[in-house]
Amino acid sequence: ERRKQDEDAIETNKIAFRQASEDFRKNNKTDNYEEFKDKYSAWQQGWIQNNTKNFSSRRKRLVVNAINPIAGVENLQGQNEAFRLSEANGTQAMNDTLKKNINIIASFPIESPEHQTALKENADIHRRNTTLGRNLLYSPEGEKLEIANKTFKNKIDDADSIEKLNALKETIDKSKLPIENIIALKSAVDKKLDYYQTGAKIDLDNKVDNLDANALLNGIEANQIESLQQEYFKIYGPIEGKTRFAATKKRLTTSKNVHSKYKAVEFSSFTKK
């Protein structure tokens, strides 16, 4: 009878201990495996104390001997989980620092303290990771590409004229970035160019209309017409700009000639009078 009671006590406490141990591991927040090891050992002793206080020393010894193998496995598993959590947290912290510093490097001049400090921090992270072997978002080479990519994005945001945007587009085209980055950056330039060009096109159309109307009344010089060519090239590019300028030149030249003939007829009439 006593042996049966011992066996029942052993099985009941093994089941209860295993469940309690799993709960302890799941609720663990520490990412230090040494700390978990110590905490688990203290928790284990507390659990035994609370759950065997009414047992004889013999039965307590039997229960402790039965749950010790479970505790060994559970403690080791918890240490592994704490280590994995430590690696995950450490990797996250390193990646967060890399991303923050990449933004700083891409935003500040090379000679600035901010740029140099961020550059050094990231270099230290990559150096440390040669032994840690963590899965970082960027390799040293990948970081350089991302910095170049973000630098171009910042320049696109800062560009405030069609000339700057066109020059930037040419620079992007010649860069060593992956083709998908080049396409995305040029698309961003084109969107901003459309914004600037819409207003510039309206201004140029109004300017040409005013010149045309004034040409009939007061005349127009040939150099005023020719000077429009660069504006068309700047707004529409060399190919479309050439076509549009040719049409405008023809239109204004016609108005110029009409005015010249009118003035000649007017002068002739005055001479006859």
Side-chain angles (χ1 to χ4, degrees), residues 25-56:
R25 281 194 299 103
K26 289 176 182 176
N27 293 326
N28 170 58
K29 302 299 180 184
T30 181
D31 60 357
N32 184 305
Y33 69 93
E34 289 286 353
E35 183 181 335
F36 177 86
K37 179 181 178 181
D38 293 339
K39 282 185 175 181
Y40 185 90
S41 295
W43 170 84
Q44 179 185 350
Q45 294 306 315
W47 190 94
I48 292 171
Q49 185 67 29
N50 291 331
N51 289 274
T52 61
K53 60 178 62 174
N54 297 322
F55 289 3
S56 65

Side-chain angles (χ1 to χ4, degrees), residues 7 47 94 189 197 238 266-267:
E7 290 174 353
W47 190 94
M94 292 170 82
V189 172
Q197 285 174 331
E266 186 180 47
F267 181 75

Side-chain angles (χ1 to χ4, degrees), residues 28 33 55 57 67 84 114 117 138 163 190 195 206 235 237 239 246 254:
N28 170 58
Y33 69 93
F55 289 3
S57 59
I67 67 174
R84 286 195 294 270
E114 293 87 352
T117 300
Y138 305 101
E163 294 92 333
D190 286 337
Y195 173 78
N206 290 337
I235 296 172
I239 299 175
T254 300

Side-chain angles (χ1 to χ4, degrees), residues 3-252:
R3 187 171 67 243
K4 181 178 181 302
Q5 290 176 354
D6 288 342
E7 290 174 353
D8 288 344
I10 290 170
E11 288 305 313
T12 299
N13 281 280
K14 280 173 62 177
I15 293 171
F17 180 80
R18 180 177 282 109
Q19 184 60 57
S21 180
E22 289 177 358
D23 292 341
F24 180 83
R25 281 194 299 103
K26 289 176 182 176
N27 293 326
N28 170 58
K29 302 299 180 184
T30 181
D31 60 357
N32 184 305
Y33 69 93
E34 289 286 353
E35 183 181 335
F36 177 86
K37 179 181 178 181
D38 293 339
K39 282 185 175 181
Y40 185 90
S41 295
W43 170 84
Q44 179 185 350
Q45 294 306 315
W47 190 94
I48 292 171
Q49 185 67 29
N50 291 331
N51 289 274
T52 61
K53 60 178 62 174
N54 297 322
F55 289 3
S56 65
S57 59
R58 182 185 55 77
R59 183 169 293 174
K60 178 179 179 179
R61 185 175 66 255
L62 291 173
V63 169
V64 169
N65 289 340
I67 67 174
N68 274 342
I70 299 172
V73 173
E74 287 284 308
N75 196 341
L76 183 59
Q77 187 170 345
Q79 290 178 52
N80 289 334
E81 289 169 354
F83 178 77
R84 286 195 294 270
L85 182 60
S86 172
E87 286 296 289
N89 290 343
T91 302
Q92 183 66 49
M94 292 170 82
N95 281 331
D96 288 345
T97 302
L98 284 176
K99 288 191 290 185
K100 178 198 73 175
N101 284 339
I102 284 172
N103 287 330
I104 292 172
I105 295 166
S107 303
F108 285 84
I110 294 176
E111 64 278 5
S112 68
E114 293 87 352
H115 184 107
Q116 292 300 320
T117 300
L119 206 62
K120 182 179 182 302
E121 281 186 0
N122 279 12
D124 288 343
I125 287 174
H126 291 303
R127 178 182 52 76
R128 284 165 46 212
N129 202 48
T130 56
T131 54
L132 293 173
R134 288 173 176 169
N135 186 26
L136 299 182
L137 289 173
Y138 305 101
S139 65
E141 296 74 20
E143 179 184 316
K144 290 176 183 176
L145 290 176
E146 184 62 16
I147 289 169
N149 192 56
K150 284 189 176 294
T151 300
F152 276 127
K153 286 182 177 180
N154 290 338
K155 288 182 177 179
I156 292 170
D157 289 339
D158 294 339
D160 56 3
S161 70
I162 292 172
E163 294 92 333
K164 289 180 181 178
L165 286 166
N166 281 330
L168 194 53
K169 195 172 182 180
E170 289 183 15
T171 307
I172 292 169
D173 230 356
K174 296 174 184 176
S175 73
K176 295 181 180 180
L177 286 169
I179 187 63
E180 59 269 21
N181 293 76
I182 291 175
I183 291 171
L185 288 168
K186 287 172 67 177
S187 175
V189 172
D190 286 337
K191 286 180 181 178
K192 194 163 185 180
L193 271 173
D194 285 343
Y195 173 78
Y196 277 100
Q197 285 174 331
T198 298
K201 288 172 185 176
I202 293 171
D203 291 342
L204 182 57
D205 287 344
N206 290 337
K207 181 178 181 178
V208 170
D209 287 343
N210 290 335
L211 285 172
D212 192 22
N214 196 53
L216 290 170
L217 296 174
N218 304 309
I220 187 172
E221 298 296 328
N223 63 347
Q224 287 179 276
I225 299 173
E226 294 299 332
S227 67
L228 294 171
Q229 184 176 23
Q230 288 305 313
E231 293 189 52
Y232 274 99
F233 283 10
K234 181 176 70 175
I235 296 172
Y236 292 99
I239 299 175
E240 185 180 356
K242 183 178 180 180
T243 303
R244 288 179 176 273
F245 171 70
T248 296
K249 182 177 180 181
K250 182 177 181 181
R251 171 183 165 190
L252 293 178

